Amino acid sequence: MKQLTRLALAGAVAAFGTGAVAQELFTPNLSYRTGPFAATGIPLMNGQKDYMDMLNARDGGIGGIPINFEECETGYSTEKGVECYERTKGAAIVTQPWSTGITLQVLPKTNVDQIPILAPGYGFSPMSDGKTFQWAFNPPASYWDGASMLLQAISDGDLSNLEGKKIAHLHLDHPYGKEPLPLFEAMAEKHGFELLPIPVGLSEMQNQSAQWLQIRRERPDFVIMWGWGAMNAGAITEAVKTRYPMDQFVGVWWSGHSDDLQLVGEDGAGYRAISWSLPNPDAPVMAAIREHVVDTGKTLASAEELDEVFYGRGVVISAILAEGIRVAQEMHGTAEISAPQLRDGLANLDFTQARIDELGLTGMMAPFSTSCSDHTGHSGGWMIEWDGAKFVQASDLLTADRAAIDPLEAEKAAEYAAANAPWPVNEDCDS
Amino acid sequence: MLYRTSGQFKTTYRSDQALFPIRQDAILLGLILIFAWAILPFTASEFAFQTLLIPVLIYALAATGLNILTGYAGQLSLGTGAFMGVGAYACYKMITIFPEMNLLVAVLASGLFSAAVGVMFGLPSLRIKGFYLAIATLAAQFFLIWLFEKWAWLYNYNASGAIQVPNVEIFGVHFAGPLATSQAQYYFVLVVVTLLTLVAINLTRGNLGRSWKAVRDMDIAAELIGINLLKAKLTAFAVSSYIVGVAGALFVFSWRGAAEPNLFDIELSFRVLFIAIIGGLGSILGNWLGAILIVALPVVLNTVPEVFGLDIKSATVEHINVMIVGALIVFFLIVEPHGLARLWALIREKLIHWPFPY
């Protein structure tokens, strides 16, 4: 009977609010290992989880406190995402929404709930403006950075080479795919190239024959892809089928997934994508993960997955969060930090090359640092190229043309603040 | 025993036609209403508000709207999601164009837009029936979603094509937007839903409801006894779309806070249709039971492993959850094909007759 009462009590607690958790850092991850985007989600989630598991096994967590890296399954559905957010926000020190749709929903609430959002390489590009988006972080690069870097890559570093050219923007017809459009439009006007936006509806991801017919008819000089999930594989197989030259086909970092290219193998050779992370099987951190997580059987990843781009990116993402926690612990002199304290940590990240090497992430990410007003850091990225069997690094570090992006970013951030008035803006930031 | 009706005499037609001729029904409903209005708002947590209470209210309202069209008037519709979208976008445009507009007025007025659109797409119902009509409403679904994506004016030329709910206050209290508390949102939804449910119950009991049912059961016979088919079908489309549109406006303004066009995709239409079918076509109570089963149950099931301290991967829980809910739907439909409302009606009848077996 006592047992039953306790169960019922626990049930009441679970249903009507999360109980307090002692002596751990609760960093829930809104994962999607199910649903239409699972194929791209799983390696990322595995990388994230394994890095945190490794820290727990090797160092006993961060600053001596173990990390509770619990996953809450969303299946990439916004509705489930909000459910997860509500369920975890009681004890969580960070939100990792993992979808632009969920980010959009959670973003306005952060000022009220005071929990930082960590959206590495996704979400709203203007989130980079830390004065306006005090609780949102998208290190190390925003979508507009990615768009700017891709334009540099296809123009050999000089955007005036693009004059008179025609560039197709093949994108998912979703907030995510439309994200870089304002920048592309501004650039097209400035550098005199023709922009051809080609949306792919969520229901047409797997069958893009109409879109590729249009590409065949219009003959764009370059195709830039902003795809996700099943759309990437669909586009790449269509490109092979229509014999679109692969060296003129480039994608954003979420379109550089090894599994999507594996489908076409050799025929996909020459396809490039921008990426702010690189897989490096020889990095010390990978050895540590092998030793503490893989060999002890705690990982969910397969052996070949460990060398993939997305797994490596998951590791880098968790490393950014872990570093944020460490900085926060140092700043506030306590190991058991709160959500607002973590915000200070994430706003004072300093990934120098020395620090990257110290963490064992050599060759997996580029140096960057964040500040109170710059929540992205803009590390830049590399082009990675599919050689027929795997992705290899295909360029030196590219960095975004911030002079072109900054005014646009300030404008959009101000627009967001105005539309959501009263929206608090932190005027104290100066750097 | 509990439902003993002996001794409850009706001496006037008026009392015989009351909303609840059996006293116990009224008491039961009164208890539920007290619970919903006075107890839950002060005991529920943020999580319960956002994932159980508010969504159940909104989905039940949407299903009520659909049930009027499909359950009472017999016109199958697959466009519910899109009509919800019309309500949501109409409300968004009104609030952003006239920021000082009262939210309650805006929400109730947004239903008018979806009613107009609903009537337009309802016109083919005069010529075609059954599955063919379902295809016509499917066209509405696809066309409207396309419109939400392409007509940039609708989302105020937002770069990402999504709408964001601004902060809206009535008499100094925020009822929508990020600053609104869950409690305020809940009360706002509760007021609108209670009001519209009452309207829906009375409409379906009245003259209009009877003409809808006549059309549903046999339209030729209905026409022969003097029911104007044009009027009956189009009023069904109008009333149904109105309620669905209001539900859509609440969906975005009082719950989601932001919406992209594909939120109103066919999946939403199916979800609402399932709620109406599993709850019971041709009943108002069924929408509530269906919404609880489809919307609230998975959320509750998700917390079960945590309660028992079982260490199951979150993805596995999700898979099991889908299987359990699916199995339950199949089970209920086998036990009672007419839905949960009919199941309750049977139980109630047995209770009234108890302890006699007939």
Side-chain angles (χ1 to χ4, degrees):
Chain A
M1 192 60 217
K2 217 173 196 176
Q3 196 89 40
L4 263 180
T5 331
R6 217 166 50 212
L7 272 181
L9 252 176
V13 168
F16 293 95
T18 329
V21 190
Q23 280 297 313
E24 61 174 17
L25 296 164
F26 186 40
T27 58
N29 195 19
L30 307 193
S31 64
Y32 48 101
R33 292 170 183 275
T34 64
F37 299 95
T40 31
I42 290 170
L44 285 163
M45 315 290 149
N46 282 344
Q48 281 186 285
K49 180 177 163 298
D50 287 356
Y51 183 80
M52 289 301 188
D53 281 349
M54 186 274 288
L55 286 186
N56 278 342
R58 190 186 65 183
D59 311 336
I62 304 170
I65 299 194
I67 305 144
N68 179 359
F69 197 76
E70 196 179 280
E71 290 184 353
C72 185
E73 179 64 30
T74 68
Y76 210 69
S77 128
T78 315
E79 204 169 315
K80 285 267 166 57
V82 174
E83 181 194 325
C84 283
Y85 174 73
E86 293 293 339
R87 183 183 319 169
T88 53
K89 81 176 180 194
I93 55 172
V94 67
T95 301
Q96 307 183 69
W98 265 126
S99 118
T100 307
I102 301 173
T103 313
L104 268 175
Q105 304 242 311
V106 177
L107 191 55
K109 293 186 190 167
T110 46
N111 281 324
V112 183
D113 293 337
Q114 310 226 319
I115 299 175
I117 298 183
L118 180 62
Y122 59 93
F124 249 13
S125 298
M127 283 194 326
S128 164
D129 179 354
K131 286 182 192 170
T132 309
F133 298 96
Q134 297 176 44
W135 294 90
F137 296 85
N138 56 344
S142 71
Y143 283 138
W144 290 352
D145 289 350
S148 164
M149 290 186 270
L150 280 173
L151 288 179
Q152 287 174 35
I154 57 176
S155 63
D156 298 320
D158 183 6
L159 260 63
S160 56
N161 287 344
L162 293 175
E163 198 171 342
K165 294 260 166 71
K166 193 190 278 184
I167 298 177
H169 173 54
L170 183 74
H171 63 280
L172 195 63
D173 205 357
H174 196 258
Y176 152 66
K178 290 182 187 166
E179 190 60 44
L181 268 177
L183 186 78
F184 280 140
E185 275 161 9
M187 291 288 117
E189 204 173 312
K190 191 168 160 198
H191 297 286
F193 62 86
E194 191 190 334
L195 179 71
L196 182 70
I198 306 180
V200 178
L202 278 174
S203 50
E204 328 166 277
M205 286 197 300
Q206 273 123 323
N207 178 14
Q208 296 169 26
S209 34
Q211 283 81 8
W212 284 89
L213 196 67
Q214 191 184 354
I215 288 174
R216 225 153 79 181
R217 204 170 45 224
E218 301 266 0
R219 297 176 183 284
D221 296 287
F222 293 99
V223 174
I224 296 179
M225 172 155 73
W226 231 260
W228 189 224
M231 177 184 157
N232 293 337
I236 287 160
T237 33
E238 282 291 338
V240 169
K241 222 192 291 174
T242 52
R243 296 180 196 287
Y244 187 82
M246 278 295 167
D247 55 345
Q248 297 173 19
F249 188 20
V250 293
V252 72
W253 38 77
W254 303 119
S255 295
H257 184 30
S258 314
D259 288 0
D260 294 333
L261 272 300
Q262 226 104 50
L263 289 174
V264 291
E266 281 295 329
D267 293 334
Y271 171 80
R272 286 175 298 162
I274 185 80
S275 175
W276 43 261
S277 71
L278 288 176
N280 181 8
D282 305 322
V285 69
M286 295 304 287
I289 288 177
R290 282 205 178 81
E291 183 192 336
H292 293 284
V293 186
V294 179
D295 293 345
T296 52
K298 274 193 275 188
T299 185
L300 295 168
S302 61
E304 58 268 30
E305 199 180 304
L306 295 185
D307 304 336
E308 280 184 8
V309 182
F310 275 23
Y311 185 89
R313 190 169 298 155
V315 170
V316 170
I317 289 171
S318 267
I320 292 173
L321 175 59
E323 182 70 1
I325 294 175
R326 191 194 61 84
V327 173
Q329 287 173 335
E330 246 169 45
M331 285 172 74
H332 291 279
T334 165
E336 217 173 341
I337 53 165
S338 64
Q341 288 171 339
L342 178 63
R343 178 181 72 157
D344 298 336
L346 288 172
N348 289 291
L349 290 174
D350 191 8
F351 274 98
T352 57
Q353 190 57 49
R355 184 65 191 150
I356 291 172
D357 292 340
E358 201 180 321
L359 286 168
L361 292 156
T362 317
M364 292 180 75
M365 62 187 291
F368 74 96
S369 65
T370 56
S371 70
C372 168
S373 60
D374 176 5
H375 280 191
T376 302
H378 313 292
S379 75
W382 303 271
M383 291 305 280
I384 51 174
E385 186 174 331
W386 182 252
D387 69 355
K390 61 179 189 307
F391 273 110
V392 291
Q393 185 179 342
S395 80
D396 294 331
L397 187 70
L398 297 168
T399 47
D401 178 10
R402 292 303 302 170
I405 300 176
D406 281 336
L408 202 59
E409 204 172 84
E411 184 195 325
K412 294 288 173 190
E415 241 172 57
Y416 186 94
N420 286 283
W423 182 271
V425 173
N426 184 2
E427 296 294 353
D428 300 336
C429 286
D430 34 61
S431 58
Chain B
M1 185 182 54
L2 286 171
Y3 254 100
R4 185 161 300 156
T5 52
S6 59
Q8 298 182 25
F9 298 114
K10 305 287 181 290
T11 49
T12 56
Y13 282 117
R14 209 184 151 72
S15 66
D16 198 33
Q17 289 172 349
L19 209 48
F20 301 100
I22 295 179
R23 196 184 304 129
Q24 284 87 340
D25 284 346
I27 294 171
L28 191 64
L29 186 80
L31 284 179
I32 291 173
L33 280 179
I34 290 173
F35 206 63
W37 278 89
I39 297 178
L40 277 182
F42 300 103
T43 52
S45 69
E46 186 91 8
F47 174 74
F49 274 126
Q50 292 295 334
T51 63
L52 296 170
L53 301 175
I54 297 176
V56 164
L57 287 172
I58 293 172
Y59 273 111
L61 183 67
T64 306
L66 178 66
N67 224 325
I68 285 181
L69 185 64
T70 307
Y72 285 93
Q75 312 295 312
L76 185 56
S77 164
L78 293 178
T80 321
F83 293 138
M84 284 176 82
V86 174
Y89 277 91
C91 193
Y92 176 72
K93 282 312 285 186
M94 280 191 283
I95 288 288
T96 47
I97 294 175
F98 313 106
E100 50 297 302
M101 197 171 184
N102 188 305
L103 184 64
L104 190 65
V105 176
V107 165
L108 291 178
S110 57
L112 296 176
F113 290 88
S114 60
V117 177
V119 168
M120 212 165 68
F121 282 98
L123 282 173
S125 71
L126 302 171
R127 298 293 297 273
I128 52 180
K129 294 178 206 166
F131 287 124
Y132 300 94
L133 180 65
I135 299 301
T137 53
L138 198 61
Q141 170 75 47
F142 289 129
F143 170 72
L144 288 170
I145 298 297
W146 175 84
L147 196 70
F148 298 154
E149 268 167 16
K150 302 295 164 200
W151 193 7
W153 179 79
L154 278 180
Y155 45 85
N156 289 351
Y157 305 97
N158 181 306
S160 54
I163 55 175
Q164 290 260 343
V165 176
N167 286 307
V168 190
E169 51 180 307
I170 309 174
F171 304 125
V173 182
H174 284 281
F175 281 97
L179 291 182
T181 61
S182 295
Q183 220 166 11
Q185 287 179 320
Y186 173 76
Y187 267 121
F188 185 78
V189 175
L190 195 61
V191 167
V192 176
V193 173
T194 313
L195 186 77
L196 285 184
T197 309
L198 201 65
V199 170
I201 294 175
N202 280 308
L203 271 183
T204 52
R205 275 157 35 100
N207 223 337
L208 205 52
R210 279 156 206 267
S211 65
W212 291 339
K213 286 183 214 167
V215 171
R216 170 190 68 190
D217 291 342
M218 195 174 183
D219 54 352
I220 295 175
E223 205 169 7
L224 284 174
I225 59 168
I227 288 171
N228 185 344
L229 281 192
L230 175 84
K231 198 182 137 208
K233 284 184 176 175
L234 289 189
T235 47
F237 265 100
V239 172
S240 156
S241 310
Y242 177 84
I243 297 179
V244 166
V246 171
L250 291 177
F251 188 68
V252 172
F253 271 74
S254 298
W255 183 34
R256 305 299 290 264
E260 61 253 19
N262 64 296
L263 184 66
F264 304 105
D265 222 340
I266 188 136
E267 269 172 61
L268 184 65
S269 302
F270 279 132
R271 196 148 192 228
V272 175
L273 186 64
F274 291 158
I275 291 174
I277 291 176
I278 289 157
L281 287 175
S283 100
I284 301 289
L285 172 72
N287 303 310
W288 293 83
L289 300 176
I292 290 171
L293 181 75
I294 302 254
V295 179
L297 185 69
V299 177
V300 175
L301 280 182
N302 260 337
T303 58
V304 165
E306 209 178 311
V307 172
F308 287 93
L310 300 176
D311 190 23
I312 307 178
K313 292 254 149 29
S314 163
T316 321
V317 174
E318 192 60 37
H319 287 302
I320 296 175
N321 206 335
V322 171
M323 285 190 265
I324 293 180
V325 174
L328 275 178
I329 291 173
V330 174
F331 171 77
F332 280 124
L333 286 183
I334 290 174
V335 171
E336 184 47 68
H338 294 291
L340 296 171
R342 178 92 185 113
L343 207 61
W344 165 243
L346 286 176
I347 293 171
R348 182 167 158 273
E349 204 154 304
K350 286 229 173 9
L351 280 175
I352 289 174
H353 290 163
W354 195 81
F356 304 107
Y358 51 83

